[in-house]
Amino acid sequence: MLKISELSAKVGLSAHTLRFYEKNGLVNASVRSESGYRYYNDADVKRVEFVKSARNIGFSLDDISTLLSIRVDKQSHSCQEVTDITQNKLDEVNSKIAELQSMQKILQILLDSCCGGPENAIHCSIMEALEDHEIQSPHEGVS
Amino acid sequence: MLKISELSAKVGLSAHTLRFYEKNGLVNASVRSESGYRYYNDADVKRVEFVKSARNIGFSLDDISTLLSIRVDKQSHSCQEVTDITQNKLDEVNSKIAELQSMQKILQILLDSCCGGPENAIHCSIMEALEDHEIQSPHEGVS
DNA sequence: GTTGACCTTAGACTTAACTCTAAAGTTTAT
DNA sequence: ATAAACTTTAGAGTTAAGTCTAAGGTCAAC
């Protein structure tokens, strides 16, 4: 059984974060000492590691809550529920990538167009591009 | 001279946002009526449009403050100052893209590995991947 | 038997860029 | 002259995922 700082060292999440996860219903210590200290058993550690893996992929804590509830009763849940969550996350990631790529493209064009030297900025083509109405908002409706 | 709601309609930013920008030193109405109403002249409108263009590319309000201060005295600033800001933004965008692409890759692998059907999740390969320690955190030190 | 390291809680703070509210004053249209 | 529509301000709320603090209790070592 691990105390919170031991678990923290083992999984690489701060004790604060572990308590925060508990407050949000993700992981709790299955044992408390008389004085209230948290003690984590092997199953608790596995659960924390599951949360950490899911965080590393980019799942939100909300997603992870759902994944955890599937995890504790896999019998009653389908693969489709799991792929739905995963697909939604992938869609979100893809649209963020698209948005960033459109910024990337414009930034690169701006950089290519400007001398970038010690000349004063009176004829700076980046400033000109920002002043003229050349720049449209990338896909506003995507969230 | 435009009132705030007219400017709002013209540039597509809410009156709230325009006041917020003013509070943060980005744009203010160069004229106030006796009763305190904001009135924006052509130069103000241009400035707001500049801010909007810069926002659309993804510059932070902090970056935009700097760009605006260059804009009002281009004589005293160099193209290099402008390209530095732009290059920093591009670097940031590129590293976010890289991070998202590494998530994307893993999510795609997970989706490809799972049947996604109505079967129960006892042998779900996505759940298994999250339970085993297959998933590493993407570049933690990149910010 | 006391120092120092650890643990507890509730709750405030952080970031960025808004977004909204309340309470009051102003302008416009009829 | 009055109702509707607009404006003002200060300040609170939003989001996500922590991060930190204060004030106190506990445990291990010497």
Side-chain angles (χ1 to χ4, degrees):
Chain A
M1 302 274 269
L2 301 178
K3 285 204 275 193
I4 197 164
S5 63
E6 294 162 339
L7 178 58
S8 167
K10 176 158 183 148
V11 302
L13 295 169
S14 76
H16 280 303
T17 296
L18 291 167
R19 291 192 199 98
F20 169 77
Y21 283 174
E22 177 172 315
K23 198 163 60 181
N24 285 268
L26 296 181
V27 205
N28 55 340
S30 42
V31 176
R32 287 284 189 129
S33 73
E34 290 248 327
S35 57
Y37 280 31
R38 291 171 177 83
Y39 283 91
Y40 297 89
N41 66 19
D42 284 0
D44 297 336
V45 174
K46 292 246 188 320
R47 191 169 162 110
V48 171
E49 284 169 340
F50 181 94
V51 170
K52 208 197 173 194
S53 289
R55 278 300 290 131
N56 285 344
I57 298 180
F59 284 115
S60 68
L61 300 189
D62 254 22
D63 289 337
I64 296 173
S65 282
T66 309
L67 290 169
L68 285 169
S69 70
I70 293 173
R71 182 175 181 267
V72 296
D73 186 10
K74 292 178 183 171
Q75 185 83 261
S76 310
H77 295 277
S78 65
C79 279
Q80 193 176 356
E81 291 174 67
V82 180
T83 54
D84 280 356
I85 295 168
T86 309
Q87 184 67 57
N88 286 342
K89 188 73 210 172
L90 180 56
D91 291 347
E92 193 188 304
V93 165
N94 281 335
S95 78
K96 276 189 194 148
I97 288 175
E99 198 174 334
L100 287 166
Q101 281 173 338
S102 101
M103 292 178 192
Q104 181 192 45
K105 195 172 138 189
I106 298 171
L107 289 166
Q108 191 61 62
I109 289 170
L110 292 181
L111 282 170
D112 290 346
S113 76
C114 181
C115 67
E119 295 83 350
N120 74 41
I122 289 177
H123 299 297
C124 175
S125 54
I126 294 179
M127 296 303 282
E128 280 170 9
L130 290 169
E131 312 225 20
D132 304 344
H133 306 287
E134 296 168 18
I135 289 147
Q136 263 105 61
S137 167
H139 8 169
E140 308 233 13
V142 176
S143 163
Chain B
M1 302 273 267
L2 302 177
K3 285 204 274 191
I4 196 163
S5 63
E6 295 164 340
L7 178 58
S8 167
K10 175 157 183 146
V11 300
L13 295 170
S14 76
H16 280 302
T17 296
L18 291 167
R19 292 193 199 98
F20 168 78
Y21 283 173
E22 178 172 315
K23 199 164 58 180
N24 285 268
L26 296 181
V27 204
N28 54 337
S30 41
V31 176
R32 288 283 190 129
S33 73
E34 290 247 330
S35 56
Y37 279 32
R38 292 171 176 82
Y39 284 91
Y40 297 89
N41 66 20
D42 284 359
D44 297 337
V45 174
K46 291 247 189 316
R47 191 170 162 108
V48 171
E49 284 169 342
F50 181 93
V51 170
K52 208 198 172 194
S53 289
R55 278 300 289 131
N56 285 345
I57 299 180
F59 284 115
S60 68
L61 300 189
D62 254 23
D63 288 338
I64 296 172
S65 282
T66 308
L67 290 169
L68 285 169
S69 69
I70 293 172
R71 181 174 181 269
V72 295
D73 186 12
K74 291 179 184 172
Q75 185 85 261
S76 310
H77 294 278
S78 66
C79 279
Q80 194 177 353
E81 290 175 67
V82 179
T83 53
D84 279 355
I85 295 167
T86 309
Q87 184 66 57
N88 286 341
K89 188 72 209 173
L90 180 57
D91 291 348
E92 193 188 305
V93 165
N94 280 334
S95 78
K96 276 189 195 150
I97 289 174
E99 198 174 334
L100 287 167
Q101 281 174 337
S102 101
M103 291 179 194
Q104 180 192 47
K105 195 171 137 190
I106 297 172
L107 289 166
Q108 192 61 64
I109 290 170
L110 292 180
L111 282 170
D112 290 346
S113 76
C114 181
C115 67
E119 295 83 349
N120 74 42
I122 289 176
H123 300 295
C124 175
S125 54
I126 294 179
M127 296 303 282
E128 280 170 8
L130 290 169
E131 313 226 20
D132 305 344
H133 306 286
E134 295 167 20
I135 291 147
Q136 263 105 61
S137 166
H139 9 166
E140 309 231 12
V142 177
S143 164

